[in-house]
């Protein structure tokens, strides 16, 4: 269920309020809803903030200041996913 809630956060033009309402109707646990919303909204927020800070400039330089945090974030998400997957495999 958490993967489905997480995936919905990446759907462009999906109304945020509708996602919240559906999560409540299907009784997504608060902990699952909180982490999937936080992790799902963070990349778009970071990307929009980055591009907004570059508006008005003639060139767009995607240097280490852009790529390093994104690579670290992706590594963190994949590591957490791997840990939970291994833990659930041992339990089940």
């Amino acid at each position: 269920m958490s993967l489905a809630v997480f995936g919905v956060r990446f759907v462009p033009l999906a109304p945020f309020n509708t996602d919240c309402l559906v999560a409540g109707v299907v009784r997504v646990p608060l902990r699952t809803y909180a982490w999937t919303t936080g992790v799902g909204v963070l990349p778009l927020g970071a990307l929009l903030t980055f591009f907004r800070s570059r508006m008005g400039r003639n060139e767009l330089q995607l240097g280490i200041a852009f790529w390093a945090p994104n690579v670290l974030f992706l590594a963190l998400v994949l590591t957490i996913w791997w840990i939970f997957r291994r833990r659930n495999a041992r339990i089940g």
Side-chain angles (χ1 to χ4, degrees):
M1 179 182 300
S2 61
L3 190 58
V5 176
F6 183 68
V8 169
R9 294 293 176 212
F10 290 106
V11 175
L13 304 175
F16 191 75
N17 290 339
T18 304
D19 298 343
C20 298
L21 180 65
V22 170
V25 168
V26 298
R27 299 191 182 268
V28 174
L30 179 60
R31 184 176 179 182
T32 301
Y33 176 77
W35 84 261
T36 55
T37 299
V39 172
V41 172
L42 188 63
L44 180 61
L47 191 65
L48 290 176
T49 300
F50 173 76
F51 284 124
R52 175 61 182 108
S53 71
R54 301 293 191 252
M55 286 182 87
R57 297 183 183 181
N58 291 335
E59 73 282 346
L60 180 63
Q61 297 176 354
L62 299 177
I64 192 74
F66 175 74
W67 290 110
N70 287 300
V71 169
L72 289 174
F73 175 75
L74 180 61
L76 176 69
V77 168
L78 290 174
T79 302
I80 291 171
W81 171 78
W82 182 74
I83 289 170
F84 277 117
R85 186 173 169 107
R86 284 192 55 151
R87 186 185 69 160
N88 289 340
R90 276 189 254 160
I91 293 172

